[in-house]
Amino acid sequence: MSYIQIANEKLEQLKDRDDIVILAIESSCDETACAIMKGKELLANVVASQIDIHRRFGGVVPEIASRNHTLAIENVVKEALAKAQMTLDDIQVIGVTYGAGLLGALLIGVSFAKSLAYSLQKPLIAVNHIKGHIAANYIACPDLKPPYICLIASGGHTAICKVQDLNEIEIIGCTVDDACGEAFDKVARCLGLPYPGGVEIEKLALSGNCNIEMPLPFKGEDHFNFSYSGLKTAVINYIHNKEQKGEQYNKADVAASFQSRAIGMLVDNTIRAALKYGYKTIVIAGGVGANKLLRAKMSEQGQKHNINVIYPPLNLCTDNAAMIASETRILIKSGAKCADIDLDGSANVRIFD
Ligand code: KG4
Ligand code: ZN
């Protein structure tokens, strides 16, 4: 029997069990991560962040990210096994992010996961990173069940989806240009703040006032798309204008005004979508989901309209492997087939396929 036949047969036997042991790997950007789950219980969640390495360049340098994944991955997996008090023999299924992300970075995780799966003759599941972000919510909230409206807001994606069933997801709005997190990062850079910019803008905004006018794209339009490019450019123009004229400006006010508009757009579209389609639950996914203003405003609006709002814990908003383990479990339960050893990384997978 070939590897893939053995793997699919093993997966078929495991599928209906509630205690499947999954080891998941994530390496799509600048975090090398490994997590272990047994059933719905998270036993280990190790994240080796490269933020300090990339900070001096003002953003992620893909080649440096790949090299550092290579250096970190073995130890990250060993540390996760030690934390879960397990050995590779205890692992039943391996999950790995195959896209979207930086191709070189993805390939490190994919190659490592394929080697593990093949040498152990165990099933391998290929996971879409964005679906992983959504699945992070099932870890802290195991009773969460579709249908719900999901807001995805990360460094690479911004979208609103109807989640009808665990594996039935329909996009009803998305950004037509920049992602929300990308706009946070670019504005932060222009303000001289370190990478990654989202959390830095959030900190600076605490001491600022929303007194600078910001553009509002698609005002009054009846759809759920986003645009962040005009907002980002307006902020950058404001800063350059002041600098050229030698005028003083308050960076905290810029941060607060930008954040208020950027987050306001997310909240407005998500609440309108839930109201339009009559959904009673909103689920937040992705790095921007860690933003406290987003969490406060979304909960406030949710309460006002009698909609329940669910967020992942802060450490599961940004990239991690626990969310990949959670999505691996969902895929197994939904009858997914194993990936073969020709699995490749893919920089540009669609949000859902
Ligand atoms: O989901 P994520 O970790 O990676 C991608 O899949 O892209 O998201 C990273 C993005 C970055 O753009 C980062 O600046 C943003 O999420 N982010 C935040 C916050 N924490 C992370 N944006 C706003 N406020 C935050 N607290
Ligand atoms: Zn991500």
Side-chain angles (χ1 to χ4, degrees):
M1 268 212 293
S2 67
Y3 160 72
I4 192 68
Q5 285 170 321
I6 295 170
N8 274 323
E9 216 164 81
K10 284 188 176 170
L11 195 66
E12 189 55 37
Q13 285 163 12
L14 287 169
K15 202 174 132 204
D16 297 322
R17 287 177 51 171
D18 289 327
D19 58 352
I20 309 171
V21 181
I22 297 168
L23 179 146
I25 292 174
E26 152 67 37
S27 70
S28 65
C29 191
D30 58 347
E31 268 92 24
T32 322
C34 178
I36 296 173
M37 279 184 91
K38 182 172 186 178
K40 291 184 177 182
E41 192 189 352
L42 182 61
L43 300 180
N45 181 29
V46 178
V47 180
S49 172
Q50 302 177 14
I51 283 177
D52 289 343
I53 298 167
H54 296 283
R55 188 163 272 165
R56 75 188 75 141
F57 305 104
V60 180
V61 182
E63 179 61 25
I64 294 176
S66 311
R67 284 165 193 253
N68 281 285
H69 285 309
T70 314
L71 295 176
I73 196 155
E74 192 180 343
N75 282 339
V76 165
V77 171
K78 280 185 178 157
E79 197 181 326
L81 285 166
K83 282 212 165 118
Q85 298 185 313
M86 287 185 171
T87 69
L88 285 173
D89 287 340
D90 300 311
I91 304 301
Q92 292 169 314
V93 179
I94 291 151
V96 67
T97 305
Y98 76 97
L102 303 170
L103 184 57
L106 288 162
L107 283 175
I108 311 301
V110 168
S111 309
F112 198 91
K114 283 198 294 189
S115 317
L116 274 184
Y118 188 71
S119 56
L120 299 167
Q121 294 284 291
K122 296 199 172 163
L124 175 67
I125 298 286
V127 176
N128 176 325
H129 181 84
I130 295 298
K131 286 173 80 175
H133 272 300
I134 301 178
N137 285 282
Y138 295 101
I139 298 170
C141 197
D143 296 330
L144 171 66
K145 283 193 177 59
Y148 55 78
I149 289 286
C150 180
L151 167 69
I152 299 161
S154 71
H157 296 89
T158 304
I160 295 186
C161 318
K162 283 190 207 169
V163 180
Q164 315 278 38
D165 208 339
L166 281 179
N167 229 354
E168 202 188 318
I169 304 175
E170 182 195 343
I171 300 172
I172 55 169
C174 65
T175 182
V176 296
D177 40 53
D178 292 354
C180 182
E182 186 183 355
F184 266 92
D185 293 338
K186 287 179 177 163
V187 166
R189 198 171 168 161
C190 206
L191 285 170
L193 300 172
Y195 170 84
V199 69
E200 299 293 333
I201 293 215
E202 180 179 320
K203 270 192 254 165
L204 185 59
L206 287 175
S207 55
N209 295 308
C210 300
N211 51 13
I212 303 166
E213 206 166 313
M214 295 285 157
L216 178 58
F218 306 137
K219 191 175 176 185
E221 291 183 29
D222 186 24
H223 58 73
F224 305 107
N225 287 337
F226 299 93
S227 168
Y228 279 97
S229 169
L231 176 59
K232 171 199 71 188
T233 308
V235 178
I236 293 173
N237 286 346
Y238 176 87
I239 296 170
H240 286 168
N241 223 318
K242 291 284 180 194
E243 284 172 354
Q244 272 163 7
K245 289 183 186 157
E247 288 176 12
Q248 292 291 317
Y249 67 96
N250 186 321
K251 287 189 177 185
D253 289 350
V254 175
S257 305
F258 163 77
Q259 177 179 248
S260 170
R261 177 63 88 224
I263 296 298
M265 281 153 53
L266 296 178
V267 176
D268 179 57
N269 272 8
T270 313
I271 295 286
R272 276 194 306 113
L275 291 176
K276 174 162 179 176
Y277 295 107
Y279 283 59
K280 285 288 167 209
T281 305
I282 287 174
V283 167
I284 311 295
V288 185
N291 184 278
K292 294 190 186 64
L293 183 70
L294 171 70
R295 293 165 95 100
K297 292 275 174 214
M298 198 72 91
S299 291
E300 183 190 301
Q301 287 297 311
Q303 241 170 15
K304 185 170 156 197
H305 296 287
N306 203 16
I307 297 167
N308 191 19
V309 185
I310 311 254
Y311 317 89
L314 286 181
N315 67 325
L316 299 186
C317 285
T318 44
D319 291 348
N320 63 84
M323 67 187 204
I324 305 302
S326 178
E327 177 60 14
T328 302
R329 198 185 144 272
I330 289 171
L331 287 169
I332 297 169
K333 295 284 169 197
S334 328
K337 290 280 175 233
C338 296
D340 207 341
I341 43 169
D342 60 358
L343 174 68
D344 213 348
S346 178
N348 292 316
V349 288
R350 294 178 349 170
I351 292 195
F352 306 116
D353 41 7

